[in-house]
Amino acid sequence: MSKKVYSKPPLSLKEQAQLLLVRGLRGISTEELIQRLGNISYYRLKGYTYPYQKNDDKDTPFLPNSKWNYIWNDYVFDSKLRNLIIDALGHIEVSFRTQLALEMSIAYGSRWYTDSKLAFSKELFDKNLEELYGHWNRSREIFKEHYETEYDNTLPPPAWMLFETTTFGTVSKIYSNIKKDIPAKTKIANYFGFTKASGKVFISWMQHLNLVRNICAHHSRLFSRSFIVRPMIPTSKPVKWVNSIPAQDRIYLSICIITYFMDICAPDFDFRKHLKEVMAICRITQLPSMGFPADWEEQILFMENVS
């Protein structure tokens, strides 16, 4: 059976605004809505209007009492939450990259990443190495130019240099593909509070955070998203954690993981304080869509000045 051809015509900003107003959007003038749509595409905004519409109706009318300020509040909140999270993830990514390059280099030399015997899968090893070199070759870092000018280019750069030009995703994939009986791999996990036995949980957390990082970097909707790459739930809870098991596909668990890591990677950042400031503008009716329990601030993980 052939699929139908998408044939909806493009609409002017005025037509887009009129469509939303005809469907029952209230609390905003045509002129202001046109201005908003000129900076935020209709299709992007749809991710925020969706919860306020009757979506089983082909005309998707707005639900009674739905107001523009609800939609705009969600949009602003999501933007602030993304900004906070990507800032925090920068600290976690740098720390993870640092520990990987450090411990593996001490144990196996500065060019350990070229040794396929350290990897589970030779196929994945080859792909990861190609990515590493690709990022290095595209880099315009001064230290790269210095290395290529001053040192023998027939040898690849040391890991601590090369890994500064790669991505969170590549770092995560390389770590995941290191054989589990490699002591340095366990030592890296230990630094972040994990054991050899809980190493799979650590890997799943890093892989999930890479997805969250990419969503934030592309300015995509975050707060009410259902995640496809879902982090594992630890069977042995960290000392500072939450009482109930969070939903694996919601941002609340992501935030729990980030809060946990920030105590290790950037203890002076005061992530909890900044999170509460951002959450203060979230409409309480949105908490369930994010996986947040009503008493989330009372969980020991989110209490400030608790050692």
Side-chain angles (χ1 to χ4, degrees):
M1 181 178 177
S2 61
K3 295 181 180 180
K4 61 182 180 180
V5 176
Y6 187 90
S7 58
K8 293 182 180 180
L11 301 177
S12 68
L13 294 179
K14 184 177 181 179
E15 289 171 328
Q16 293 174 27
Q18 289 174 337
L19 183 59
L20 289 169
L21 294 171
V22 165
R23 288 176 174 173
L25 179 61
R26 298 291 178 264
I28 186 171
S29 68
T30 303
E31 293 73 21
E32 184 182 354
L33 188 52
I34 289 171
Q35 188 271 329
R36 295 291 188 190
L37 290 167
N39 294 313
I40 305 166
S41 78
Y42 178 95
Y43 199 76
R44 175 182 178 80
L45 190 63
K46 191 174 181 180
Y48 299 90
T49 64
Y50 187 88
Y52 301 101
Q53 293 176 271
K54 186 173 172 36
N55 296 295
D56 56 355
D57 185 320
K58 67 181 180 63
D59 294 324
T60 61
F62 281 88
L63 298 169
N65 301 318
S66 295
K67 299 178 182 179
W68 167 256
N69 67 320
Y70 296 166
I71 298 164
W72 186 245
N73 188 85
D74 290 350
Y75 186 87
V76 172
F77 163 68
D78 194 35
S79 177
K80 290 182 179 294
L81 183 65
R82 276 198 315 273
N83 290 339
L84 173 62
I85 285 181
I86 199 165
D87 196 1
L89 288 176
H91 292 279
I92 296 169
E93 176 184 348
V94 168
S95 183
F96 185 32
R97 186 192 302 159
T98 298
Q99 286 298 310
L100 177 60
L102 174 68
E103 296 300 343
M104 290 297 290
S105 296
I106 289 173
Y108 301 101
S110 63
R111 297 175 178 86
W112 60 268
Y113 60 87
T114 64
D115 186 356
S116 63
K117 295 191 294 296
L118 298 172
F120 277 122
S121 165
K122 179 61 165 60
E123 181 181 359
L124 290 177
F125 171 85
D126 290 339
K127 289 181 180 179
N128 294 338
L129 188 60
E130 182 179 359
E131 282 186 20
L132 266 179
Y133 286 152
H135 296 150
W136 172 263
N137 291 334
R138 290 190 294 273
S139 174
R140 295 295 180 267
E141 293 283 359
I142 294 175
F143 62 78
K144 181 204 172 197
E145 295 177 9
H146 176 74
Y147 178 82
E148 293 180 335
T149 301
E150 298 293 329
Y151 297 96
D152 182 359
N153 277 339
T154 62
L155 293 174
W160 54 85
M161 194 179 295
L162 186 71
F163 275 70
E164 286 300 314
T165 64
T166 198
T167 66
F168 195 174
T170 302
V171 171
S172 179
K173 287 185 286 186
I174 289 172
Y175 178 82
S176 177
N177 196 39
I178 296 172
K179 291 177 179 176
K180 64 181 180 181
D181 60 349
I182 299 293
K185 183 175 187 177
T186 301
K187 196 169 182 179
I188 294 164
N190 292 164
Y191 180 85
F192 293 100
F194 292 82
T195 64
K196 184 176 181 179
S198 61
K200 287 185 178 180
V201 176
F202 175 55
I203 290 171
S204 81
W205 282 17
M206 286 302 183
Q207 290 173 337
H208 173 72
L209 292 186
N210 178 59
L211 171 65
V212 174
R213 182 256 172 221
N214 290 340
I215 290 169
C216 292
H218 290 91
H219 314 290
S220 299
R221 180 174 48 82
L222 178 69
F223 82 108
S224 60
R225 182 179 294 271
S226 176
F227 294 106
I228 297 174
V229 179
R230 300 173 181 179
M232 295 173 64
I233 301 294
T235 53
S236 178
K237 295 195 299 184
V239 174
K240 292 173 70 173
W241 196 239
V242 291
N243 296 332
S244 57
I245 299 175
Q248 288 175 275
D249 65 337
R250 295 293 161 176
I251 192 63
Y252 176 59
L253 178 53
S254 312
I255 290 172
C256 290
I257 292 170
I258 292 168
T259 305
Y260 166 82
F261 277 133
M262 288 297 282
D263 282 344
I264 299 167
C265 304
D268 297 329
F269 185 87
D270 206 351
F271 180 76
R272 291 173 180 82
K273 176 184 176 182
H274 297 309
L275 174 65
K276 290 173 184 177
E277 290 171 350
V278 171
M279 290 299 298
I281 69 171
C282 177
R283 296 181 65 233
I284 195 168
T285 55
Q286 292 290 21
L287 290 179
S289 70
M290 301 167 65
F292 274 75
D295 64 346
W296 73 271
E297 291 187 71
E298 299 169 23
Q299 304 294 309
I300 190 170
L301 177 64
F302 296 106
M303 290 183 181
E304 298 177 53
N305 303 317
V306 175
S307 59

